[in-house]
Amino acid sequence: MPNEAPERLRGAVTRQRVRQGTAGAHEAVVLHTDGGEELILQRISGNPFSDPETNDLVGRRVTVEGYRLNKIFRYVSADHE
């Protein structure tokens, strides 16, 4: 990860199809931030395509801490309501 301080984001988590119209289209866990962004949510050290801990966040509002890599947010911690 970058040598930067982790970022904290808050929002709702869903599962949806991402990267439609490309060879990389797939279902992913997505964070819809309170600021209006949609970011693919992946746990650092978790499987990016099927991670039980990330899947458990679907349908919840969360605060996550981690690192943004373009449209992907790699999180190190997640707290949910």
Side-chain angles (χ1 to χ4, degrees):
M1 290 292 96
N3 291 329
E4 300 173 8
E7 183 177 358
R8 290 180 67 93
L9 297 175
R10 182 170 169 77
V13 180
T14 64
R15 175 177 295 286
Q16 68 187 53
R17 192 124 178 103
V18 296
R19 298 183 179 146
Q20 294 191 52
T22 71
H26 65 281
E27 290 280 317
V29 176
V30 176
L31 175 66
H32 301 266
T33 71
D34 290 348
E37 293 181 276
E38 289 187 2
L39 300 167
I40 296 171
L41 191 59
Q42 297 176 347
R43 182 172 61 95
I44 291 176
S45 79
N47 181 320
F49 297 102
S50 180
D51 178 53
E53 288 186 36
T54 303
N55 291 336
D56 286 346
L57 300 176
V58 173
R60 299 177 186 255
R61 287 195 47 77
V62 299
T63 300
V64 291
E65 185 172 300
Y67 303 90
R68 182 188 305 254
L69 301 168
N70 299 316
K71 297 298 280 180
I72 298 173
F73 192 78
R74 303 284 315 262
Y75 72 95
V76 293
S77 67
D79 295 314
H80 56 81
E81 296 177 4

